[in-house]
Amino acid sequence: MKLLVNNIATLAGIDGGGVLKKSGAEMAQFDAIDQAWMLVEDGIITEFDTEKDRPAPAEVDSVVDAHGGMVLPCWCDSHTHIVYAGSREREFVDKINGLSYAEIARRGGGILNSADRLHELPEQQLYEQAMERVREVISKGTGAIEIKSGYGLNTQDELKMLRVIARIQESTPLRVVSTFLGAHAVSRAYVGRQSEYVDLIVDEMLPAVAAEGLANYVDVFCDQGFFTPEETARILEAGAKYGMRGKIHGQELAPSGGVEVAVRHRALSVDHLESMTDEDIALLRDTDTIPTALPGTSFFLNMPFAPARKMIAAGLPMAIASDYNPGSTPSGDMKFVVSLACIKMRLQPAEAFNAATINGAAAMGLSGEYGSIAPGKVANFFITRPISSIDFIPYAYTTPIIDRVFLVGQEQ
Ligand code: NIG
Ligand code: FE
């Protein structure tokens, strides 16, 4: 099955293959060609070039006319919590009234509130609620996504979440990676007995998750008021026995050792970083741990943004992701995340596009197959309406510019 995408004003985010991430100054390079076409065969990108060498429509099975729009690789959203029950707009109002995220958590709201609801909700309904969000993010151009557990907080409910994540992968063309986040918060049943809860994660949850092959990665909310670096290290060591690398929540609420423990245990990524220090940036140099900023969370919680310019100046391969979750950022709109990265973290549009595509793919271990327009990569791309330049995408920060989305070469 050959598909020709024709009449592309600009084909952007291209490379010749073999680029697995972009670091530091390389992030300013988001290569593009004008007046382009692209050939897709059986869901894989095979060729692209400028208009002059275009294959004849008779040589292919179908033709998509981009009508002078731009084509970009789909977003690779490397940090989400989109499997959850219900919503938490009451806490949203509490926050407007002045309560901090940490105060809401201390009052038994926050993550524990979502865990109560998830416990009550049958698996089928949990799947249906998550699928509404999946359809939404696909329509907004996301083609690969990481989804975490972490609203179960007991073995049965964590497995329920992870089974829903597996079902999303089976039932959609979205590429899904799954992360076990039993250490998202101490469950109500274990309040005051945090170390016993960590025992439960290590001795019962992780083996059960591994036995069903339900998670690619393991995550810990390593932060002030949540899990310590020592507990994080213990969980990362336990995960490593099952072949799960870490993807750590660190340095959101305070400089709390999250980066250090992530680097020491060769985590694939360390995410949030709103409170990261210059020492943390130095620690990340020459490691294969990808620092991931979540600008939607800073925006929604009115918190500082991660020091993105400093990370790029230090030569790091920074990714950005949505963190879509019911508490700290109920949005998976990666175009808006790209805008926030430009507006609030002072990224150049090219840097933000790389952070949201190839580096996001790298933060999921997927950049050999996703994250750019390259021969041999999965044909996950979107077509914009005709726009004046690529910088218009983050500039027009609420305009729905993404017109058509293709996953594995199929229009969604
Ligand atoms: O990534 N920081 C920890 N966890 C989520 C929030 C989860 C929630 O509030 O439900 C986050 O922001
Ligand atoms: Fe998160």
Side-chain angles (χ1 to χ4, degrees):
M1 175 70 189
K2 281 191 185 182
L3 168 79
L4 174 67
V5 187
N6 220 350
N7 206 7
I8 305 170
T10 301
L11 178 64
I14 58 171
D15 65 65
V19 178
L20 294 180
K21 62 184 176 190
K22 291 197 176 164
S23 303
E26 294 166 354
M27 288 181 65
Q29 211 62 41
F30 195 65
D31 289 334
I33 50 174
D34 292 336
Q35 306 307 318
W37 54 268
M38 175 171 72
L39 196 61
V40 172
E41 292 188 50
D42 298 327
I44 302 292
I45 298 164
T46 52
E47 268 184 87
F48 49 83
D49 211 326
T50 52
E51 201 61 62
K52 59 179 169 19
D53 301 314
R54 177 170 64 89
E59 295 167 30
V60 300
D61 301 293
S62 59
V63 179
V64 169
D65 190 337
H67 292 292
M70 294 192 179
V71 169
L72 275 80
C74 278
W75 312 122
C76 295
D77 189 354
S78 65
H79 182 138
T80 83
H81 310 246
I82 58 168
V83 173
Y84 59 82
S87 55
R88 304 213 314 251
E89 61 272 24
R90 195 176 312 155
E91 289 168 25
F92 169 68
V93 176
D94 284 344
K95 272 179 227 134
I96 294 168
N97 288 330
L99 267 64
S100 73
Y101 184 59
E103 281 165 343
I104 289 168
R106 264 198 300 279
R107 286 183 171 200
I111 295 163
L112 297 184
N113 182 350
S114 285
D116 292 342
R117 291 174 188 220
L118 186 128
H119 180 70
E120 298 299 324
L121 197 69
E123 189 169 315
Q124 175 62 23
Q125 286 174 38
L126 186 61
Y127 170 75
E128 285 165 14
Q129 288 193 14
M131 280 300 293
E132 280 187 33
R133 298 175 202 121
V134 165
R135 283 188 285 270
E136 180 200 343
V137 299
I138 291 174
S139 74
K140 291 183 180 300
T142 294
I145 196 166
E146 184 254 23
I147 310 175
K148 300 174 193 293
S149 70
Y151 293 120
L153 308 182
N154 63 53
T155 307
Q156 242 185 356
D157 290 332
E158 284 294 307
L159 290 173
K160 176 164 90 175
M161 287 189 78
L162 290 164
R163 288 192 196 109
V164 167
I165 298 170
R167 216 172 133 196
I168 293 169
Q169 174 65 97
E170 284 156 22
S171 59
T172 72
L174 190 65
R175 181 68 163 90
V176 178
V177 304
S178 167
T179 299
F180 167 62
L181 176 56
H184 199 189
V186 175
S187 71
R188 289 198 202 281
Y190 280 78
V191 170
R193 297 186 294 141
Q194 178 147 332
S195 72
E196 287 173 53
Y197 183 69
V198 175
D199 292 341
L200 180 77
I201 291 173
V202 169
D203 298 335
E204 190 180 295
M205 291 190 198
L206 262 170
V209 168
E212 289 193 41
L214 285 172
N216 306 103
Y217 301 109
V218 59
D219 193 345
V220 178
F221 190 4
C222 178
D223 220 318
Q224 197 176 58
F226 288 84
F227 295 88
T228 65
E230 293 70 31
E231 290 164 338
T232 304
R234 201 177 149 212
I235 294 167
L236 286 174
E237 278 161 25
K241 292 200 186 106
Y242 301 104
M244 298 176 201
R245 275 180 82 181
K247 278 179 69 63
I248 296 299
H249 277 74
Q251 246 100 315
E252 175 184 359
L253 308 171
S256 41
V259 171
E260 203 268 328
V261 71
V263 165
R264 191 152 35 87
H265 290 270
R266 285 199 58 245
L268 180 60
S269 72
V270 58
D271 305 19
H272 272 291
L273 307 173
E274 293 87 347
S275 306
M276 96 190 297
T277 62
D278 291 350
E279 290 72 43
D280 293 323
I281 292 177
L283 281 174
L284 281 160
R285 271 197 169 125
D286 303 318
T287 70
D288 48 12
T289 299
I290 297 185
T292 302
L294 308 171
T297 309
S298 300
F299 170 74
F300 189 78
L301 296 183
N302 267 317
M303 290 197 333
F305 285 75
R309 286 259 54 98
K310 283 187 178 182
M311 286 193 252
I312 294 173
L316 302 182
M318 197 187 71
I320 53 175
S322 74
D323 197 21
Y324 194 169
N325 76 69
S328 63
T329 178
S331 165
D333 184 342
M334 285 294 285
K335 174 180 171 290
F336 182 57
V337 171
V338 165
S339 292
L340 283 176
C342 295
I343 298 162
K344 301 299 241 179
M345 304 197 310
R346 292 181 37 249
L347 262 62
Q348 293 295 323
E351 293 171 326
F353 290 133
N354 278 316
T357 56
I358 189 77
N359 287 356
M364 294 187 272
L366 295 179
S367 57
E369 303 157 90
Y370 298 87
S372 65
I373 302 289
K377 282 200 172 174
V378 178
N380 283 6
F381 61 91
F382 60 77
I383 305 177
T384 71
R385 63 173 69 169
I387 50 178
S388 45
S389 81
I390 196 155
D391 298 346
F392 189 82
I393 298 174
Y395 157 81
Y397 71 99
T398 61
T399 306
I401 284 165
I402 297 168
D403 243 2
R404 302 173 73 180
V405 178
F406 291 75
L407 299 184
V408 203
Q410 301 279 329
E411 182 153 20
Q412 301 303 303

